[in-house]
Amino acid sequence: MRRYHLFIIYTLIAALLAWNLYLQFGKKSGNPQGEEVLVQSAEGEKFTISIPEAKVRIFEIPEKLTFADEPVPLEQTDVMERFEREIYVNVYWQSNMILLMKRAGKYLPTIEKILRDQGVPDDFKYLAMTESGLMNVVSPAGARGFWQIMPGTAKDYKLEISDDVDERYHLEKSTLVACKYLKTAYSKFGNWTSVAASYNIGITGIRKRKEEQNQSNYYNLFLVEETSRYLFRILAFKEIFENPGKYGFELSEKDIYKQPLFRELKVTQSINSLANWAILHNSTYKELKIHNPWLRSQKLKISRNQDYIIKLPIN
């Protein structure tokens, strides 16, 4: 047993020495497989340990980049650095990016279709990723859902918020509201880059900064850090999603999450127990809540001349 312990100790010491040698000389060797070191055990047995090459990579930044077909001035040093920052932050937060790529398979087809139908550039799907990671999150300020819609905005655009229902969690309805906002902002600014920035700081906020600094271009504005980074987060998601292999993400089709096929049930009368209602329709309360997150309580009160569509998976 003692000899075995000595063998383990010697092996660990040899590995540490080998790693130190690699840090000093490994990169100069040009060996893509890493540094190989000969180790001898207490019993005289010899074997080779291969120290793998460091995995951190420096990425080549694209020469040209656009948002909604509007050019990004990467020739400006600060613009390039701000974009590069978001690339590295997101690429090397691998767990988050992998799950986002998997999750995107469930929700992007719906978002892309609505953007297309509403005449909003496809790149705005990356704004939704930036806002929420395609999850129904709640901000400290009270914004909710994929598009992080505030209560006042929901009211302005006729989204229902009640004890039983919060349509900010309704993917289709909230995406339509986001499109309406984006098109309203475009009518004021005339370019989609300013529109995207306004989603973070507000239409009035961007207009005020432009007037204060006598600049019309977003990239020439000096902004607080959150708004300064906002568009570049969107651009980073776009670049990584359009070139996943370049950044080390090699998901296959089977790795991507998919929505099930749904049946849609029109409901015109109040439901006292959604759990019982789900069972009555050959489903479960869990399935009902997962696929209809806009249902916020255990019941659903329906007023006269009102109806809802509830989606349940086809089993």
Side-chain angles (χ1 to χ4, degrees):
M1 181 64 71
R2 183 172 179 276
R3 293 170 65 84
Y4 176 74
H5 288 162
L6 287 173
F7 167 70
I8 296 296
I9 292 171
Y10 290 147
T11 301
L12 290 173
I13 292 172
L16 288 172
L17 290 172
W19 180 246
N20 184 57
L21 288 171
Y22 168 73
L23 291 176
Q24 296 183 54
F25 308 111
K27 290 185 178 180
K28 297 179 182 179
S29 70
N31 179 6
Q33 302 302 318
E35 196 78 11
E36 291 189 347
V37 179
L38 186 65
V39 178
Q40 182 171 330
S41 69
E43 288 78 9
E45 181 184 359
K46 295 181 179 180
F47 55 94
T48 299
I49 294 178
S50 179
I51 306 298
E53 186 178 8
K55 297 297 184 182
V56 175
R57 294 170 52 201
I58 301 299
F59 301 108
E60 183 178 349
I61 298 302
E63 294 182 1
K64 294 182 179 180
L65 188 65
T66 64
F67 175 75
D69 292 328
E70 298 171 1
V72 179
L74 290 174
E75 68 277 4
Q76 295 183 23
T77 302
D78 75 295
V79 171
M80 186 276 291
E81 290 181 1
R82 287 152 70 190
F83 172 66
E84 193 170 43
R85 174 185 182 179
E86 303 307 327
I87 286 290
Y88 284 104
V89 165
N90 286 285
V91 166
Y92 283 110
W93 189 4
Q94 293 101 327
S95 59
N96 185 67
M97 183 56 64
I98 289 171
L99 290 172
L100 180 56
M101 287 182 167
K102 286 174 167 284
R103 198 180 302 127
K106 295 176 70 174
Y107 304 114
L108 282 194
T110 298
I111 292 173
E112 289 167 343
K113 182 180 185 304
I114 294 173
L115 293 175
R116 184 170 58 251
D117 292 346
Q118 293 296 310
V120 174
D122 184 71
D123 282 352
F124 278 93
K125 65 191 179 189
Y126 301 113
L127 185 148
M129 292 184 189
T130 301
E131 284 289 328
S132 65
L134 301 181
M135 294 186 291
N136 281 311
V137 296
V138 181
S139 78
R144 296 173 186 259
F146 281 23
W147 294 94
Q148 287 293 275
I149 297 172
M150 293 291 287
T153 304
K155 182 178 180 181
D156 291 341
Y157 288 95
K158 305 297 189 296
L159 281 181
E160 180 183 351
I161 301 178
S162 67
D163 291 339
D164 295 340
V165 171
D166 190 338
E167 291 184 330
R168 291 177 293 174
Y169 293 105
H170 194 295
L171 178 58
E172 291 84 357
K173 291 184 179 181
S174 64
T175 303
L176 281 170
V177 164
C179 287
K180 290 177 181 178
Y181 172 91
L182 296 170
K183 289 192 288 186
T184 297
Y186 185 79
S187 70
K188 299 181 183 298
F189 295 119
N191 70 89
W192 292 110
T193 301
S194 295
V195 169
S198 79
Y199 204 90
N200 177 257
I201 197 175
I203 292 173
T204 302
I206 283 293
R207 180 188 288 130
K208 184 177 181 181
R209 302 303 179 276
K210 288 183 175 185
E211 291 173 352
E212 289 173 345
Q213 300 176 35
N214 196 25
Q215 295 290 332
S216 60
N217 191 320
Y218 164 84
Y219 298 104
N220 292 334
L221 293 174
F222 182 80
L223 301 165
V224 297
E225 184 175 12
E226 172 63 26
T227 309
S228 178
R229 293 183 65 180
Y230 187 73
L231 183 64
F232 292 92
R233 289 183 179 129
I234 297 171
L235 292 170
F237 282 132
K238 176 183 177 179
E239 168 66 12
I240 296 166
F241 265 73
E242 291 184 353
N243 304 282
K246 173 182 175 181
Y247 299 100
F249 298 99
E250 299 179 354
L251 281 70
S252 65
E253 187 65 23
K254 67 179 177 61
D255 296 321
I256 306 300
Y257 299 151
K258 297 288 192 302
Q259 290 279 31
L261 293 175
F262 289 112
R263 49 197 168 108
E264 297 185 344
L265 292 86
K266 185 176 181 179
V267 181
T268 58
Q269 294 182 336
S270 295
I271 302 172
N272 294 324
S273 170
L274 287 172
N276 290 339
W277 184 90
I279 293 171
L280 185 64
H281 290 85
N282 299 314
S283 186
T284 65
Y285 184 68
K286 182 180 78 171
E287 285 186 334
L288 181 145
K289 297 291 276 190
I290 287 174
H291 300 298
N292 302 274
W294 53 274
L295 292 169
R296 304 308 295 172
S297 74
Q298 297 178 351
K299 60 182 177 58
L300 178 60
K301 183 178 179 180
I302 302 179
S303 303
R304 188 176 180 181
N305 299 323
Q306 188 181 26
D307 63 72
Y308 296 96
I309 299 295
I310 296 178
K311 297 188 296 185
L312 294 176
I314 298 174
N315 297 319

